[in-house]
Amino acid sequence: MDPQTRIELEAAAFRRLQKHLMEDRPDVQNIDLMNLAGFCRNCLSRWYQEAANERGIPMTKEEGREVFYGMPYDAWRAQNQTEASAEKQAAFEVAFKENVLKDKG
């Protein structure tokens, strides 16, 4: 497979993942994704932002989220996010440290 085709297939897979999380399964909470898989929609939007920044394209965290979510993040949260239990919040603290903070340090 040539490199351009590989890039196009990877981009198509990313777009399908985004559609799945944003349209097909908006009911799945970010905290559940993080606790089970070690990443969530916010991670994907951050990776998008970081890729843009690495290529010299200025993009803030909020801009990256808006691109990924298709709307301002606060609007997404108001529309889709539910209150997490104390148990989920505690598990999230562990998952965040293991999966997000380790990437930064």
Side-chain angles (χ1 to χ4, degrees), residues 47-95:
W47 297 337
Y48 187 94
Q49 175 216 354
E50 289 170 354
N53 293 162
E54 287 168 5
R55 287 159 181 78
I57 301 166
M59 182 177 292
T60 65
K61 177 173 132 179
E62 289 307 315
E63 289 170 335
R65 284 184 173 179
E66 190 161 345
V67 168
F68 189 83
Y69 283 85
M71 65 179 71
Y73 179 58
D74 289 339
W76 167 265
R77 285 177 48 195
Q79 182 177 324
N80 297 287
Q81 190 167 307
T82 61
E83 190 66 31
S85 69
E87 294 82 16
K88 286 183 180 183
Q89 290 178 19
F92 174 81
E93 293 299 322
V94 172

Side-chain angles (χ1 to χ4, degrees), residues 19-77:
K19 179 186 181 302
H20 183 76
L21 293 172
M22 304 310 294
E23 296 176 25
D24 301 341
R25 293 304 307 268
D27 59 309
V28 175
Q29 298 296 298
N30 276 343
I31 197 165
D32 295 323
L33 287 169
M34 180 61 80
N35 291 347
L36 292 172
F39 78 98
C40 67
R41 292 173 186 89
N42 290 336
C43 295
L44 290 163
S45 70
R46 178 174 48 91
W47 297 337
Y48 187 94
Q49 175 216 354
E50 289 170 354
N53 293 162
E54 287 168 5
R55 287 159 181 78
I57 301 166
M59 182 177 292
T60 65
K61 177 173 132 179
E62 289 307 315
E63 289 170 335
R65 284 184 173 179
E66 190 161 345
V67 168
F68 189 83
Y69 283 85
M71 65 179 71
Y73 179 58
D74 289 339
W76 167 265
R77 285 177 48 195

